[in-house]
Amino acid sequence: MTQIFFYHNAANRIGTTAFLIGRTFAQKKALLVYAPDAEIAAALDRQLWGQPPTGFVPHVGADSPLAAQTPVVITRTLESLPHDERLFNLSSDVPPGFSRFTSLIEIVGRGDEERADGRKRARFYKDRGYDVRYVDCTGKH
């Protein structure tokens, strides 16, 4: 069953996501980032060019010919994907087909709308029997 992690109270949702992606990449784990909003996907792309500050996290869009060989793939849809290991959700909705992934990482900021959407997603997962783990990002990133 998919493991679900909620990182909540993120002061900077994109920055926190980039930090977590960098940590996952350092562990040599492949991941997908579901970002259907083009502005959010572009902001994450920019952030990953400098995260960590002394390094670079290789990443591409799902439409790149290098997607199958690149450890971090940013995608606007969850169709025809290179793997089903880790999924980072930057959508305000439950990602379609999330249960095929080994783990799902949700990053929730401090805004009222983000928090309300996050609560809805958490309730959705819990109502379906998923174990949801929470990590408070207050004071971090």
Side-chain angles (χ1 to χ4, degrees):
M1 181 174 265
T2 302
Q3 293 181 317
I4 299 176
F5 300 90
F6 266 81
Y7 288 82
H8 60 95
N9 286 322
N12 176 339
R13 188 175 183 211
I14 299 299
T16 298
T17 303
F19 171 79
L20 293 171
I21 287 170
R23 208 165 68 183
T24 303
F25 172 72
Q27 297 170 355
K28 308 233 183 287
K29 296 178 181 175
L31 62 97
L32 295 169
V33 180
Y34 179 54
D37 181 294
E39 287 182 32
I40 291 174
L44 179 62
D45 175 55
R46 284 189 305 275
Q47 184 79 36
L48 287 173
W49 279 99
Q51 183 83 25
T54 58
F56 168 70
V57 175
H59 64 283
V60 296
D63 56 353
S64 169
L66 299 175
Q69 296 92 355
T70 306
V72 177
V73 176
I74 301 171
T75 183
R76 295 181 72 186
T77 67
L78 291 174
E79 300 169 8
S80 304
L81 301 171
H83 66 80
D84 55 5
E85 293 177 45
R86 279 156 202 80
L87 176 65
F88 281 69
N89 183 27
L90 288 179
S91 168
S92 58
D93 299 316
V94 171
F98 74 90
S99 62
R100 72 178 182 244
F101 293 88
T102 305
S103 59
L104 170 63
I105 297 91
E106 295 270 2
I107 298 91
V108 180
R110 295 181 181 165
D112 291 340
E113 190 173 330
E114 272 188 63
R115 291 165 53 117
D117 289 342
R119 285 187 195 105
K120 286 179 193 171
R121 292 192 308 275
R123 197 169 321 120
F124 175 90
Y125 302 131
K126 283 182 169 184
D127 287 350
R128 281 149 186 81
Y130 289 92
D131 178 31
V132 178
R133 297 182 188 168
Y134 299 93
V135 178
D136 189 349
C137 295
T138 302
K140 303 174 188 173
H141 316 288

